Every structure is written in structure tokens, then in C-alpha cells.
Amino acid sequence: MKGWMIAAVVVVCLIVWIVSVYNGLVKLQILVDEAFATMDVYLKKRYDMIPNLVEVVKGYAGHEKETLEKIVRLRSGNYEEMSDEEKWQADKALSKAVPQIMALAENYPELKANQNFMGLSKELSNMEEEIANARKYYNGAVKQYNMRVQMFPGSLIAGLMHFTSKKMYQIEDGAERQNVQVKF
């Protein structure tokens, strides 16, 4: 009789442990999804802000049309219809383009003094800071999730339940690693 009770207790403990690990993985996966959604909100705001900034710059820098058109092309496509990977690629491209817009402004003192440009520049600067914070939050959530997925004993349940590691947000070498400098 005692052997049967011990076996039952072990099975119950094992089931409780499996459910606990599974629920922990689900919780962390939801946290990663929420962190991406937070970052996505700021990326969308910047994505929508770029045409306004380009239009203001166009008024002052008409002969820089090629650079401005290139930036607008980077923004082509409906953001809501993009996959997460496409959003990341659009973000990377726009992160490279924003300094080009700001560099154009350096050549036009009357543009730098324009109230619309100054307002958009300030908003863009704040947006870049929010995006950076959202990226940190996302990467922190991914780190927690990946540790749980990859470390023993959670890796056992993760493998059985098809939880896989998530990709952290990383910027490429080069211009993207430079700060966006907004000067008035």
C-alpha cells in the first residue's frame, strides 16, 4: 500500500512540476510578444513620422530630391501588413536614413529654424529614445525566455512542447551604430 502512495505522490509532483514549467514558458512567451508589441508601436510612429519630416525638408532642399525619394521608398508598403521580420528590416533601413535627413538640414539654416522642422526633429529625437528603450525591454524579455527554454530542466519541457529560442534585436555594424543626432 505504501509503494502505491509513494508512486502517486511522485506522479502528482511530476505533473505539478511539468504544469509549472509549461506555464512559466507561456508567461515568458507572452512577455516577449508584449515587448515586441511595445517596440512595434514606436516603430510605427516613427514610420508614420518620416513622410512629414521629408515633406518639410523637401520645401527647403528641393535639389536633394534623390536622397529624399530614396528615404520615402524605404517606407513603401503598408506597415500593418508587414511580418515581424519585415518590420525589423524596415526599422533598420529607416535607422540608416534618419541621419541622412538630419544631415541635409545642416546645410539649410532656414530649414533648421523652421518651426515645423524643429517640432518634428524634437519628436523624432524623443521617438528614437523610446525605440531604444523598447528594444532594451524586448531584449530583456527575450533573454529571460531564452534562458528558460535553453536551461535544464526547463529545456526538457520546452523541447516537448515545441518552445524555441527567440531572436534578439540586434543592429548591424556601420551607420546604425551611430547615434541619431538632432541639432537645432
Side-chain angles (χ1 to χ4, degrees):
M1 197 62 158
K2 285 185 178 184
W4 176 83
M5 289 178 70
I6 292 173
V9 169
V10 168
V11 168
V12 168
C13 287
L14 185 61
I15 290 171
V16 168
W17 175 76
I18 290 171
V19 168
S20 175
V21 171
Y22 176 81
N23 286 341
L25 287 166
V26 169
K27 179 181 171 185
L28 289 173
Q29 187 171 33
I30 291 169
L31 184 68
V32 168
D33 292 344
E34 184 264 339
F36 183 84
T38 299
M39 182 173 55
D40 194 38
V41 166
Y42 293 115
L43 295 176
K44 171 74 167 113
K45 284 172 106 174
R46 181 180 63 180
Y47 189 82
D48 290 342
M49 184 188 306
I50 297 293
N52 296 332
L53 192 59
V54 167
E55 284 303 313
V56 170
V57 173
K58 269 186 185 177
Y60 288 88
H63 64 283
E64 306 282 0
K65 188 176 180 181
E66 183 181 315
T67 302
L68 297 171
E69 285 176 353
K70 177 183 156 201
I71 292 166
V72 170
R73 276 194 306 274
L74 290 174
R75 220 197 132 270
S76 65
N78 187 347
Y79 190 84
E80 286 81 15
E81 293 175 5
M82 290 180 180
S83 69
D84 290 351
E85 185 63 34
E86 289 170 328
K87 289 177 182 179
W88 282 26
Q89 294 308 317
D91 170 51
K92 289 178 181 184
L94 288 175
S95 290
K96 290 178 183 176
V98 168
Q100 292 175 341
I101 296 172
M102 303 325 269
L104 282 177
E106 288 298 313
N107 298 325
Y108 300 93
E110 54 291 337
L111 172 60
K112 286 176 26 178
N114 178 283
Q115 292 298 320
N116 287 337
F117 182 78
M118 286 175 31
L120 286 169
S121 295
K122 183 174 172 120
E123 195 173 332
L124 181 62
S125 179
N126 292 338
M127 187 76 52
E128 291 298 327
E129 189 174 319
E130 293 294 337
I131 290 170
N133 288 334
R135 287 174 180 155
K136 284 190 276 186
Y137 176 56
Y138 173 79
N139 281 345
V142 168
K143 180 180 95 175
Q144 286 182 315
Y145 173 81
N146 285 347
M147 286 185 342
R148 181 73 60 94
V149 166
Q150 295 172 10
M151 292 174 66
F152 184 81
S155 60
L156 297 174
I157 304 304
L160 289 172
M161 301 296 181
H162 305 290
F163 286 91
T164 58
S165 295
K166 303 279 186 184
K167 185 172 117 181
M168 287 197 163
Y169 183 89
Q170 295 178 335
I171 58 174
E172 297 167 358
D173 289 335
E176 268 188 80
R177 291 199 180 270
Q178 306 301 318
N179 270 345
V180 174
Q181 298 205 0
V182 179
K183 297 179 183 176
F184 301 102

